[in-house]
Amino acid sequence: MEHITIRRATTQDLESLQRIGRQTFSETFSTGNTDENLAAYLAQSFSTEKLTEELHKVDSEFYFALEQERVIGYLKLNTQGAQTEKLGEESLEIERIYVLKAFHGQKVGQLLFEKAHQVATDKKLTYIWLGVWEGNARAIQFYTKNGFVEFGQHAFQVGSDEQLDILMKKQLVYMDIQVVLETETAWLSPLAIDDFDALYAVASDAKIWEQHPNKDRWKRAVFANFFEGAIQSRGAYKITHKTTGNTVGSTRFYDYNAVDNSILIGYTFYAVSQWGKGLNTTVKKAMLDYAFQFVSKVYFHIGSTNIRSQIAISRLGAEKLREEEITYFGEAPKMNFIYQISKETWQDQRETF
């Protein structure tokens, strides 16, 4: 899918939109519809006048899937009053999502759906819905796989033939990555700008960073950049020891992906005084317990030379997936190992920790 790109269509793309709309609809519905009814639908739904009007609607958006410069699929989204059913302001309708038959099976439709999901999450909407022809088993299977459930029906007119669409919807769940979490010995609270001095007092110990990709984070200027990235992430935490009240480290949720149903945990460090005392295990346990209320998998970026962290994450049941260069905030790319732990794996073994 790396060679496929998604971009929004504009009024300058009218002819391309008309062409892809007619071709994909014909490929999808030529079987089961008469030539007369198909021609009537194409003439009405993809006329220059109708598409021009739709492209100008404030609450409608078109997106193209492109292989280089060739349009191979498209997506139409509606919100607010542009929706074909009055289902409220908190919903987004996928009115059309079509891909050229020659590109079926290449996950182009999945990319278009993920774009729709991104639009809905950016707008903080409650759910996505659509109508799918009852005879389109392939499409029904696709939407079911992506978490849609049936909630109704409506009529769909193709020429003189009234057909039945199944209405399906997907509820959107948002994960708040700035909550207060608790372990047996520590509090995890959202990192604030005023926490810099207390956190740097921990981070200024060069021993913490000996195995990290950036071994200079003990220096104030380098750590200041790290801290700025943490604040901007809006998912970073200060870890406070319950007994002493001292700041003993930091960690972070980041790159929450509602479509992939995943999130990352990383940028973790602890005061040397806490090493070997079980703090990392209890912190990860609290974070994983919380994250798996919303996602099905958690990823970890761990520096290729950070043997200590690699061993620790493996003990929690995480599996190494690949090696990849990761660019951290304001720093040069560094080689990292990518680990993953699934919700099922965590549920099976969490009681052992």
Side-chain angles (χ1 to χ4, degrees):
M1 292 194 296
E2 293 180 0
H3 62 293
I4 306 299
T5 58
I6 308 295
R7 74 163 174 85
R8 187 166 180 177
T10 70
T11 54
Q12 302 300 313
D13 298 305
L14 175 60
E15 290 184 8
S16 295
L17 179 59
Q18 195 171 52
R19 184 163 52 250
I20 191 69
R22 286 173 173 169
Q23 183 175 350
T24 53
F25 192 88
S26 297
E27 290 179 347
T28 305
F29 296 106
S30 58
T31 301
N33 287 287
T34 66
D35 291 344
E36 292 77 14
N37 281 335
L38 190 62
Y41 181 86
L42 294 176
Q44 176 185 1
S45 298
F46 298 101
S47 69
T48 299
E49 294 75 21
K50 183 170 177 56
L51 288 180
T52 300
E53 178 185 352
E54 292 177 345
L55 283 164
H56 279 96
K57 277 187 178 179
V58 174
D59 297 327
S60 291
E61 301 176 20
F62 288 90
Y63 292 89
F64 284 156
L66 301 133
E67 184 190 47
Q68 296 181 352
E69 295 301 315
R70 181 188 178 190
V71 180
I72 60 173
Y74 81 108
L75 168 72
K76 185 189 178 190
L77 306 176
N78 299 319
T79 54
Q80 305 288 333
Q83 297 177 90
T84 58
E85 295 282 350
K86 296 180 179 179
L87 296 179
E89 297 182 355
E90 297 302 312
S91 61
L92 177 141
E93 177 191 12
I94 299 177
E95 184 180 351
R96 298 175 194 155
I97 180 169
Y98 291 108
V99 176
L100 290 173
K101 192 172 183 179
F103 289 88
H104 285 185
Q106 298 185 37
K107 298 187 177 180
V108 180
Q110 185 66 34
L111 284 175
L112 288 168
F113 167 68
E114 289 175 4
K115 182 62 183 181
H117 201 295
Q118 178 189 330
V119 171
T121 54
D122 288 347
K123 295 177 183 289
K124 298 295 183 184
L125 300 177
T126 304
Y127 64 92
I128 305 171
W129 73 276
L130 53 89
V132 56
W133 179 44
E134 62 176 346
N136 195 343
R138 185 174 181 274
I140 293 171
Q141 183 181 22
F142 172 80
Y143 293 120
T144 301
K145 181 192 73 173
N146 277 290
F148 283 79
V149 295
E150 181 177 348
F151 74 95
Q153 300 174 340
H154 72 185
F156 182 75
Q157 200 75 27
V158 179
S160 62
D161 185 21
E162 184 175 280
Q163 302 179 3
L164 187 66
D165 269 4
I166 296 172
L167 300 182
M168 305 182 75
K169 68 179 178 180
K170 177 184 175 69
Q171 201 76 22
L172 300 178
V173 179
Y174 299 94
M175 179 180 173
D176 184 355
I177 58 173
Q178 287 282 257
V179 296
V180 175
L181 300 175
E182 181 181 6
T183 77
E184 293 89 338
T185 58
W187 292 100
L188 280 71
S189 54
L191 188 68
I193 293 176
D194 291 344
D195 294 324
F196 179 84
D197 288 338
L199 196 57
Y200 180 61
V202 176
S204 59
D205 186 341
K207 186 173 179 60
I208 291 174
W209 309 102
E210 285 178 347
Q211 294 188 17
H212 277 255
N214 190 337
K215 303 184 188 326
D216 290 333
R217 282 193 189 144
W218 62 272
K219 298 177 180 178
R220 187 179 184 89
V222 178
F223 183 77
N225 173 77
F226 175 87
F227 187 85
E228 177 63 23
I231 293 295
Q232 290 192 24
S233 76
R234 298 183 180 179
Y237 289 83
K238 176 182 70 172
I239 303 170
T240 305
H241 197 283
K242 283 183 175 179
T243 302
T244 65
N246 294 334
T247 298
V248 291
S250 179
T251 189
R252 197 182 308 182
F253 284 124
Y254 61 107
D255 288 355
Y256 172 48
N257 188 325
V259 178
D260 185 50
N261 204 21
S262 67
I263 197 164
L264 281 102
I265 294 174
Y267 296 93
T268 307
F269 68 91
Y270 303 100
V272 174
S273 63
Q274 300 301 311
W275 290 9
K277 296 185 178 179
L279 179 62
N280 181 58
T281 299
T282 58
V283 165
K284 289 295 193 298
K285 186 174 181 179
M287 295 179 79
L288 289 167
D289 283 345
Y290 176 69
F292 283 133
Q293 297 177 55
F294 305 94
V295 300
S296 61
K297 48 188 173 286
V298 173
Y299 298 110
F300 303 85
H301 290 161
I302 299 178
S304 60
T305 59
N306 194 345
I307 308 302
R308 185 184 300 110
S309 292
Q310 292 167 26
I311 293 172
I313 206 65
S314 296
R315 285 174 177 165
L316 289 174
E319 176 187 4
K320 182 183 174 184
L321 299 180
R322 61 187 182 275
E323 300 181 11
E324 183 178 324
E325 276 200 337
I326 303 296
T327 302
Y328 294 113
F329 182 87
E331 297 180 2
K334 298 288 194 308
M335 183 59 66
N336 278 245
F337 293 169
I338 313 301
Y339 286 80
Q340 174 193 294
I341 184 167
S342 69
K343 183 175 183 178
E344 292 76 14
T345 298
W346 180 243
Q347 289 175 334
D348 287 343
Q349 63 184 36
R350 70 176 299 278
E351 297 305 325
T352 64
F353 300 106

